[in-house]
């Protein structure tokens, strides 16, 4: 669904989540249900939120904790609504096959396009903050700014609200 660039990896990476419907094994198609976290090493130009695509990658489930007190990945992934991860090492292996017409995908594409518009018209630090305030995008580069907002007791301003979207729509309709 939403696939956004991230800087938390040592590799240029794009990540997001999606619904996976089936997986091709060595000699058979395996039905898969649930949400999958997608990690793409690199960037696939033209891939938008809501796109349907075929690709090659490695599908894996989290390893359960093996020691007492160890971080429980299974629980953490389930808390995020994900129970598998698909690692795509070759962005060129992604073949876009269609586009969802769901309301969620339309909203995600709208947010993605507005983020691109903000990025093209504002300096990077300002566009990241504007994207967080107006669209609810999370950016790891804003962690110091988020800490300042928390210390000042105004971190709720970084949360998206209907008012923010209304202001954005009003501003964009005037462009």
């Amino acid at each position: 669904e939403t696939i956004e660039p991230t800087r938390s990896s040592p590799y240029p990476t794009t990540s997001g989540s999606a619904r996976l419907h089936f997986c091709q094994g060595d000699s058979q198609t395996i039905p898969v249900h649930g949400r999958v976290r997608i990690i793409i090493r690199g960037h696939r130009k033209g891939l938008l939120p809501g796109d349907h695509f075929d690709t090659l990658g490695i599908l894996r489930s989290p390893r359960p904790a093996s020691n007492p007190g160890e971080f429980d990945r299974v629980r953490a992934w389930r808390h995020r609504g994900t129970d598998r991860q698909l690692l795509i090492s070759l962005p060129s292996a992604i073949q876009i096959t269609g586009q969802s017409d769901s309301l969620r995908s339309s909203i995600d594409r709208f947010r993605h396009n507005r983020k691109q518009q903000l990025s093209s018209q504002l300096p990077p630090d300002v566009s990241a903050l504007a994207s967080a305030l107006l669209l609810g995008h999370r950016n790891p580069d804003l962690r110091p700014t988020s800490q300042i907002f928390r210390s000042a007791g105004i971190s709720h301003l970084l949360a998206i609200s209907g008012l923010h979207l209304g202001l954005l729509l009003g501003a964009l309709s005037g462009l």
Side-chain angles (χ1 to χ4, degrees), residues 48-74:
L48 296 173
D51 280 349
H52 296 214
F53 59 88
D54 292 335
T55 192
L56 299 172
I58 299 171
L59 184 66
R60 67 181 182 114
S61 297
R63 287 183 305 134
S66 57
N67 294 314
E70 183 180 5
F71 179 71
D72 187 353
R73 284 192 204 299
V74 174

PDB file of all heavy atoms in Angstrom, residues 48-74:
ATOM      1  N   LEU A  48       4.105   3.407  -7.103  1.00  0.00           N
ATOM      2  CA  LEU A  48       3.295   4.314  -6.290  1.00  0.00           C
ATOM      3  C   LEU A  48       2.453   3.525  -5.294  1.00  0.00           C
ATOM      4  O   LEU A  48       2.182   2.338  -5.508  1.00  0.00           O
ATOM      5  CB  LEU A  48       2.370   5.148  -7.183  1.00  0.00           C
ATOM      6  CG  LEU A  48       3.045   6.103  -8.146  1.00  0.00           C
ATOM      7  CD1 LEU A  48       2.021   6.722  -9.083  1.00  0.00           C
ATOM      8  CD2 LEU A  48       3.787   7.189  -7.388  1.00  0.00           C
ATOM      9  N   PRO A  49       2.015   4.187  -4.231  1.00  0.00           N
ATOM     10  CA  PRO A  49       1.104   3.517  -3.297  1.00  0.00           C
ATOM     11  C   PRO A  49      -0.125   2.989  -4.033  1.00  0.00           C
ATOM     12  O   PRO A  49      -0.691   3.669  -4.889  1.00  0.00           O
ATOM     13  CB  PRO A  49       0.711   4.628  -2.322  1.00  0.00           C
ATOM     14  CG  PRO A  49       1.860   5.584  -2.380  1.00  0.00           C
ATOM     15  CD  PRO A  49       2.342   5.537  -3.804  1.00  0.00           C
ATOM     16  N   GLY A  50      -0.521   1.772  -3.711  1.00  0.00           N
ATOM     17  CA  GLY A  50      -1.688   1.162  -4.339  1.00  0.00           C
ATOM     18  C   GLY A  50      -1.385   0.390  -5.604  1.00  0.00           C
ATOM     19  O   GLY A  50      -2.272  -0.248  -6.160  1.00  0.00           O
ATOM     20  N   ASP A  51      -0.148   0.432  -6.083  1.00  0.00           N
ATOM     21  CA  ASP A  51       0.204  -0.326  -7.288  1.00  0.00           C
ATOM     22  C   ASP A  51       0.202  -1.820  -6.998  1.00  0.00           C
ATOM     23  O   ASP A  51       0.597  -2.266  -5.922  1.00  0.00           O
ATOM     24  CB  ASP A  51       1.597   0.071  -7.800  1.00  0.00           C
ATOM     25  CG  ASP A  51       1.586   1.363  -8.585  1.00  0.00           C
ATOM     26  OD1 ASP A  51       0.493   1.852  -8.928  1.00  0.00           O
ATOM     27  OD2 ASP A  51       2.686   1.892  -8.852  1.00  0.00           O
ATOM     28  N   HIS A  52      -0.252  -2.583  -7.972  1.00  0.00           N
ATOM     29  CA  HIS A  52      -0.148  -4.040  -7.926  1.00  0.00           C
ATOM     30  C   HIS A  52       1.108  -4.391  -8.704  1.00  0.00           C
ATOM     31  O   HIS A  52       1.384  -3.792  -9.746  1.00  0.00           O
ATOM     32  CB  HIS A  52      -1.345  -4.691  -8.610  1.00  0.00           C
ATOM     33  CG  HIS A  52      -2.654  -4.414  -7.928  1.00  0.00           C
ATOM     34  ND1 HIS A  52      -3.665  -5.326  -7.883  1.00  0.00           N
ATOM     35  CD2 HIS A  52      -3.115  -3.329  -7.255  1.00  0.00           C
ATOM     36  CE1 HIS A  52      -4.688  -4.826  -7.230  1.00  0.00           C
ATOM     37  NE2 HIS A  52      -4.371  -3.609  -6.841  1.00  0.00           N
ATOM     38  N   PHE A  53       1.862  -5.358  -8.209  1.00  0.00           N
ATOM     39  CA  PHE A  53       3.083  -5.709  -8.932  1.00  0.00           C
ATOM     40  C   PHE A  53       3.472  -7.158  -8.690  1.00  0.00           C
ATOM     41  O   PHE A  53       3.070  -7.772  -7.712  1.00  0.00           O
ATOM     42  CB  PHE A  53       4.244  -4.778  -8.556  1.00  0.00           C
ATOM     43  CG  PHE A  53       4.612  -4.767  -7.094  1.00  0.00           C
ATOM     44  CD1 PHE A  53       5.530  -5.673  -6.582  1.00  0.00           C
ATOM     45  CD2 PHE A  53       4.056  -3.830  -6.252  1.00  0.00           C
ATOM     46  CE1 PHE A  53       5.887  -5.644  -5.248  1.00  0.00           C
ATOM     47  CE2 PHE A  53       4.409  -3.793  -4.912  1.00  0.00           C
ATOM     48  CZ  PHE A  53       5.326  -4.711  -4.408  1.00  0.00           C
ATOM     49  N   ASP A  54       4.223  -7.684  -9.624  1.00  0.00           N
ATOM     50  CA  ASP A  54       4.858  -8.993  -9.514  1.00  0.00           C
ATOM     51  C   ASP A  54       6.341  -8.741  -9.298  1.00  0.00           C
ATOM     52  O   ASP A  54       6.902  -7.793  -9.860  1.00  0.00           O
ATOM     53  CB  ASP A  54       4.687  -9.816 -10.791  1.00  0.00           C
ATOM     54  CG  ASP A  54       3.246 -10.240 -11.031  1.00  0.00           C
ATOM     55  OD1 ASP A  54       2.483 -10.327 -10.051  1.00  0.00           O
ATOM     56  OD2 ASP A  54       2.894 -10.475 -12.197  1.00  0.00           O
ATOM     57  N   THR A  55       6.968  -9.598  -8.508  1.00  0.00           N
ATOM     58  CA  THR A  55       8.390  -9.418  -8.240  1.00  0.00           C
ATOM     59  C   THR A  55       9.029 -10.707  -7.767  1.00  0.00           C
ATOM     60  O   THR A  55       8.335 -11.680  -7.474  1.00  0.00           O
ATOM     61  CB  THR A  55       8.625  -8.298  -7.197  1.00  0.00           C
ATOM     62  OG1 THR A  55      10.005  -7.974  -7.173  1.00  0.00           O
ATOM     63  CG2 THR A  55       8.168  -8.718  -5.822  1.00  0.00           C
ATOM     64  N   LEU A  56      10.324 -10.692  -7.686  1.00  0.00           N
ATOM     65  CA  LEU A  56      11.097 -11.768  -7.088  1.00  0.00           C
ATOM     66  C   LEU A  56      11.685 -11.249  -5.791  1.00  0.00           C
ATOM     67  O   LEU A  56      12.151 -10.109  -5.732  1.00  0.00           O
ATOM     68  CB  LEU A  56      12.245 -12.190  -8.011  1.00  0.00           C
ATOM     69  CG  LEU A  56      11.838 -12.727  -9.380  1.00  0.00           C
ATOM     70  CD1 LEU A  56      13.082 -12.922 -10.245  1.00  0.00           C
ATOM     71  CD2 LEU A  56      11.085 -14.027  -9.234  1.00  0.00           C
ATOM     72  N   GLY A  57      11.660 -12.067  -4.757  1.00  0.00           N
ATOM     73  CA  GLY A  57      12.226 -11.647  -3.489  1.00  0.00           C
ATOM     74  C   GLY A  57      12.269 -12.814  -2.518  1.00  0.00           C
ATOM     75  O   GLY A  57      11.870 -13.929  -2.847  1.00  0.00           O
ATOM     76  N   ILE A  58      12.756 -12.537  -1.346  1.00  0.00           N
ATOM     77  CA  ILE A  58      12.850 -13.555  -0.298  1.00  0.00           C
ATOM     78  C   ILE A  58      11.792 -13.239   0.755  1.00  0.00           C
ATOM     79  O   ILE A  58      11.805 -12.173   1.367  1.00  0.00           O
ATOM     80  CB  ILE A  58      14.254 -13.551   0.335  1.00  0.00           C
ATOM     81  CG1 ILE A  58      15.300 -13.884  -0.729  1.00  0.00           C
ATOM     82  CG2 ILE A  58      14.315 -14.542   1.499  1.00  0.00           C
ATOM     83  CD1 ILE A  58      16.730 -13.688  -0.269  1.00  0.00           C
ATOM     84  N   LEU A  59      10.875 -14.187   0.950  1.00  0.00           N
ATOM     85  CA  LEU A  59       9.804 -14.043   1.935  1.00  0.00           C
ATOM     86  C   LEU A  59      10.235 -14.765   3.209  1.00  0.00           C
ATOM     87  O   LEU A  59      10.630 -15.925   3.164  1.00  0.00           O
ATOM     88  CB  LEU A  59       8.509 -14.651   1.391  1.00  0.00           C
ATOM     89  CG  LEU A  59       7.275 -14.501   2.256  1.00  0.00           C
ATOM     90  CD1 LEU A  59       6.878 -13.033   2.368  1.00  0.00           C
ATOM     91  CD2 LEU A  59       6.126 -15.313   1.667  1.00  0.00           C
ATOM     92  N   ARG A  60      10.180 -14.052   4.329  1.00  0.00           N
ATOM     93  CA  ARG A  60      10.576 -14.701   5.568  1.00  0.00           C
ATOM     94  C   ARG A  60       9.657 -14.271   6.704  1.00  0.00           C
ATOM     95  O   ARG A  60       9.037 -13.204   6.665  1.00  0.00           O
ATOM     96  CB  ARG A  60      12.026 -14.388   5.919  1.00  0.00           C
ATOM     97  CG  ARG A  60      12.291 -12.957   6.262  1.00  0.00           C
ATOM     98  CD  ARG A  60      13.766 -12.718   6.566  1.00  0.00           C
ATOM     99  NE  ARG A  60      13.962 -11.337   6.945  1.00  0.00           N
ATOM    100  CZ  ARG A  60      14.337 -10.953   8.144  1.00  0.00           C
ATOM    101  NH1 ARG A  60      14.585 -11.829   9.079  1.00  0.00           N
ATOM    102  NH2 ARG A  60      14.493  -9.672   8.416  1.00  0.00           N
ATOM    103  N   SER A  61       9.606 -15.129   7.706  1.00  0.00           N
ATOM    104  CA  SER A  61       8.880 -14.845   8.936  1.00  0.00           C
ATOM    105  C   SER A  61       9.898 -14.482  10.004  1.00  0.00           C
ATOM    106  O   SER A  61      11.061 -14.886   9.919  1.00  0.00           O
ATOM    107  CB  SER A  61       8.093 -16.078   9.385  1.00  0.00           C
ATOM    108  OG  SER A  61       7.126 -16.411   8.425  1.00  0.00           O
ATOM    109  N   PRO A  62       9.473 -13.740  11.028  1.00  0.00           N
ATOM    110  CA  PRO A  62      10.428 -13.387  12.075  1.00  0.00           C
ATOM    111  C   PRO A  62      10.818 -14.615  12.899  1.00  0.00           C
ATOM    112  O   PRO A  62      10.005 -15.526  13.084  1.00  0.00           O
ATOM    113  CB  PRO A  62       9.678 -12.375  12.928  1.00  0.00           C
ATOM    114  CG  PRO A  62       8.247 -12.709  12.726  1.00  0.00           C
ATOM    115  CD  PRO A  62       8.149 -13.206  11.299  1.00  0.00           C
ATOM    116  N   ARG A  63      12.049 -14.613  13.364  1.00  0.00           N
ATOM    117  CA  ARG A  63      12.488 -15.695  14.254  1.00  0.00           C
ATOM    118  C   ARG A  63      11.957 -15.408  15.647  1.00  0.00           C
ATOM    119  O   ARG A  63      12.052 -14.275  16.124  1.00  0.00           O
ATOM    120  CB  ARG A  63      14.006 -15.768  14.294  1.00  0.00           C
ATOM    121  CG  ARG A  63      14.620 -16.320  13.033  1.00  0.00           C
ATOM    122  CD  ARG A  63      16.123 -16.443  13.148  1.00  0.00           C
ATOM    123  NE  ARG A  63      16.715 -15.156  13.511  1.00  0.00           N
ATOM    124  CZ  ARG A  63      17.644 -14.986  14.446  1.00  0.00           C
ATOM    125  NH1 ARG A  63      18.123 -15.994  15.113  1.00  0.00           N
ATOM    126  NH2 ARG A  63      18.126 -13.786  14.697  1.00  0.00           N
ATOM    127  N   PRO A  64      11.427 -16.437  16.315  1.00  0.00           N
ATOM    128  CA  PRO A  64      10.977 -16.220  17.694  1.00  0.00           C
ATOM    129  C   PRO A  64      12.181 -16.003  18.619  1.00  0.00           C
ATOM    130  O   PRO A  64      13.296 -16.422  18.317  1.00  0.00           O
ATOM    131  CB  PRO A  64      10.239 -17.515  18.043  1.00  0.00           C
ATOM    132  CG  PRO A  64      10.698 -18.521  17.048  1.00  0.00           C
ATOM    133  CD  PRO A  64      11.167 -17.782  15.833  1.00  0.00           C
ATOM    134  N   ALA A  65      11.926 -15.347  19.730  1.00  0.00           N
ATOM    135  CA  ALA A  65      12.985 -15.124  20.714  1.00  0.00           C
ATOM    136  C   ALA A  65      13.502 -16.469  21.204  1.00  0.00           C
ATOM    137  O   ALA A  65      12.733 -17.389  21.457  1.00  0.00           O
ATOM    138  CB  ALA A  65      12.449 -14.305  21.877  1.00  0.00           C
ATOM    139  N   SER A  66      14.814 -16.599  21.321  1.00  0.00           N
ATOM    140  CA  SER A  66      15.398 -17.874  21.753  1.00  0.00           C
ATOM    141  C   SER A  66      15.956 -17.808  23.165  1.00  0.00           C
ATOM    142  O   SER A  66      16.304 -18.829  23.741  1.00  0.00           O
ATOM    143  CB  SER A  66      16.488 -18.312  20.776  1.00  0.00           C
ATOM    144  OG  SER A  66      17.473 -17.309  20.655  1.00  0.00           O
ATOM    145  N   ASN A  67      16.038 -16.608  23.725  1.00  0.00           N
ATOM    146  CA  ASN A  67      16.544 -16.442  25.090  1.00  0.00           C
ATOM    147  C   ASN A  67      15.534 -15.649  25.913  1.00  0.00           C
ATOM    148  O   ASN A  67      14.860 -14.752  25.385  1.00  0.00           O
ATOM    149  CB  ASN A  67      17.877 -15.677  25.088  1.00  0.00           C
ATOM    150  CG  ASN A  67      18.983 -16.448  24.422  1.00  0.00           C
ATOM    151  OD1 ASN A  67      19.162 -17.636  24.679  1.00  0.00           O
ATOM    152  ND2 ASN A  67      19.722 -15.778  23.550  1.00  0.00           N
ATOM    153  N   PRO A  68      15.439 -15.946  27.207  1.00  0.00           N
ATOM    154  CA  PRO A  68      14.541 -15.163  28.079  1.00  0.00           C
ATOM    155  C   PRO A  68      14.926 -13.684  28.063  1.00  0.00           C
ATOM    156  O   PRO A  68      16.100 -13.343  28.133  1.00  0.00           O
ATOM    157  CB  PRO A  68      14.766 -15.768  29.468  1.00  0.00           C
ATOM    158  CG  PRO A  68      15.363 -17.112  29.222  1.00  0.00           C
ATOM    159  CD  PRO A  68      16.128 -17.007  27.924  1.00  0.00           C
ATOM    160  N   GLY A  69      13.931 -12.831  27.926  1.00  0.00           N
ATOM    161  CA  GLY A  69      14.171 -11.395  27.924  1.00  0.00           C
ATOM    162  C   GLY A  69      14.606 -10.834  26.586  1.00  0.00           C
ATOM    163  O   GLY A  69      14.759  -9.626  26.435  1.00  0.00           O
ATOM    164  N   GLU A  70      14.806 -11.681  25.588  1.00  0.00           N
ATOM    165  CA  GLU A  70      15.225 -11.222  24.264  1.00  0.00           C
ATOM    166  C   GLU A  70      14.059 -10.537  23.565  1.00  0.00           C
ATOM    167  O   GLU A  70      12.895 -10.854  23.803  1.00  0.00           O
ATOM    168  CB  GLU A  70      15.699 -12.432  23.444  1.00  0.00           C
ATOM    169  CG  GLU A  70      16.227 -12.079  22.073  1.00  0.00           C
ATOM    170  CD  GLU A  70      16.691 -13.311  21.293  1.00  0.00           C
ATOM    171  OE1 GLU A  70      16.531 -14.435  21.765  1.00  0.00           O
ATOM    172  OE2 GLU A  70      17.207 -13.115  20.189  1.00  0.00           O
ATOM    173  N   PHE A  71      14.381  -9.599  22.696  1.00  0.00           N
ATOM    174  CA  PHE A  71      13.359  -8.893  21.926  1.00  0.00           C
ATOM    175  C   PHE A  71      12.513  -9.904  21.152  1.00  0.00           C
ATOM    176  O   PHE A  71      13.039 -10.779  20.471  1.00  0.00           O
ATOM    177  CB  PHE A  71      14.022  -7.906  20.963  1.00  0.00           C
ATOM    178  CG  PHE A  71      13.047  -7.144  20.111  1.00  0.00           C
ATOM    179  CD1 PHE A  71      12.230  -6.166  20.665  1.00  0.00           C
ATOM    180  CD2 PHE A  71      12.933  -7.411  18.757  1.00  0.00           C
ATOM    181  CE1 PHE A  71      11.335  -5.465  19.882  1.00  0.00           C
ATOM    182  CE2 PHE A  71      12.040  -6.708  17.969  1.00  0.00           C
ATOM    183  CZ  PHE A  71      11.237  -5.734  18.536  1.00  0.00           C
ATOM    184  N   ASP A  72      11.202  -9.781  21.248  1.00  0.00           N
ATOM    185  CA  ASP A  72      10.281 -10.715  20.598  1.00  0.00           C
ATOM    186  C   ASP A  72       9.810 -10.132  19.271  1.00  0.00           C
ATOM    187  O   ASP A  72       8.855  -9.362  19.213  1.00  0.00           O
ATOM    188  CB  ASP A  72       9.096 -10.986  21.527  1.00  0.00           C
ATOM    189  CG  ASP A  72       8.174 -12.074  21.015  1.00  0.00           C
ATOM    190  OD1 ASP A  72       8.369 -12.542  19.867  1.00  0.00           O
ATOM    191  OD2 ASP A  72       7.266 -12.458  21.759  1.00  0.00           O
ATOM    192  N   ARG A  73      10.494 -10.495  18.181  1.00  0.00           N
ATOM    193  CA  ARG A  73      10.148  -9.982  16.850  1.00  0.00           C
ATOM    194  C   ARG A  73       8.755 -10.421  16.400  1.00  0.00           C
ATOM    195  O   ARG A  73       8.049  -9.649  15.762  1.00  0.00           O
ATOM    196  CB  ARG A  73      11.168 -10.460  15.821  1.00  0.00           C
ATOM    197  CG  ARG A  73      12.459  -9.735  15.869  1.00  0.00           C
ATOM    198  CD  ARG A  73      13.294 -10.066  14.638  1.00  0.00           C
ATOM    199  NE  ARG A  73      14.707  -9.888  14.841  1.00  0.00           N
ATOM    200  CZ  ARG A  73      15.294  -8.755  15.142  1.00  0.00           C
ATOM    201  NH1 ARG A  73      14.579  -7.686  15.305  1.00  0.00           N
ATOM    202  NH2 ARG A  73      16.591  -8.684  15.303  1.00  0.00           N
ATOM    203  N   VAL A  74       8.389 -11.649  16.708  1.00  0.00           N
ATOM    204  CA  VAL A  74       7.069 -12.145  16.301  1.00  0.00           C
ATOM    205  C   VAL A  74       5.989 -11.235  16.876  1.00  0.00           C
ATOM    206  O   VAL A  74       5.086 -10.792  16.161  1.00  0.00           O
ATOM    207  CB  VAL A  74       6.867 -13.609  16.764  1.00  0.00           C
ATOM    208  CG1 VAL A  74       5.449 -14.073  16.475  1.00  0.00           C
ATOM    209  CG2 VAL A  74       7.881 -14.528  16.097  1.00  0.00           C
TER     210      VAL A  74
END
